[in-house]
Amino acid sequence: MNVLGFDYGSRLIGVALGNRLTGSARPLGVVANSGSGPDWERIDTWIREWQPEALLVGLPLTLDGEEQPASRGARAFAGALVKRSALPLHLVDERRSSIEAARRFAQRRAAGLAKKKHAAEIDAVAAEVITETWLANPS
């Protein structure tokens, strides 16, 4: 019943765990990404640990729904993820997910649940938003 959602970025990749039964998600953390690729060891560990039935990768589109340069990176990451895991993968329109992630992170800071020094975790919150988007309307 679990799915793992990813918010791909050229420096950091946010990861969230979603549950199809409850329709909810929570941030797991972030992994480094560089010219040599993401921290596959950590990603593989999460996949083994949570045994998801599917993987989700946010697809950054323009507000008009068009692909942009960041879309290529997300698609390449998704392709590599499928090859490594052999799991079903769904691309999820992530328009406005960054705005929602920033709002949620600010709320968690105000409630004392997050600190400013944890700002890198906002990528994991974005993955949470992407995962919840898909859970609300699985494709």
Side-chain angles (χ1 to χ4, degrees):
M1 291 295 193
N2 289 331
V3 296
L4 284 180
F6 297 87
D7 177 44
Y8 176 83
S10 59
R11 290 179 293 154
L12 294 172
I13 299 171
V15 185
L17 174 67
N19 183 288
R20 292 186 76 169
L21 188 61
T22 64
S24 63
R26 68 178 175 89
L28 284 180
V30 295
V31 296
N33 191 17
S34 65
S36 59
D39 181 352
W40 286 115
E41 186 175 323
R42 184 67 185 128
I43 292 170
D44 292 342
T45 298
W46 273 324
I47 290 172
R48 280 192 308 274
E49 181 179 348
W50 294 105
Q51 300 181 355
E53 63 183 82
L55 304 173
L56 317 170
V57 174
L59 183 62
L61 300 171
T62 66
L63 292 179
D64 295 332
E66 299 296 321
E67 298 238 353
Q68 58 181 326
S71 304
R72 285 191 297 277
R75 285 186 181 279
F77 171 70
L81 200 51
V82 166
K83 286 180 184 173
R84 293 182 72 87
S85 69
L87 290 168
L89 184 131
H90 304 276
L91 292 171
V92 181
D93 181 349
E94 69 168 50
R95 281 179 280 180
R96 297 186 177 87
S97 65
S98 295
I99 295 167
E100 175 62 14
R103 186 190 66 74
R104 289 183 187 191
F105 188 76
Q107 283 181 328
R108 290 171 186 172
R109 279 191 61 210
L113 302 173
K115 298 188 184 318
K116 187 176 183 178
K117 67 181 180 180
H118 300 132
E121 296 294 319
I122 198 164
D123 294 307
V125 177
E128 172 188 41
V129 172
I130 289 164
T131 303
E132 287 176 351
T133 299
W134 186 84
L135 287 169
N137 189 19
S139 51

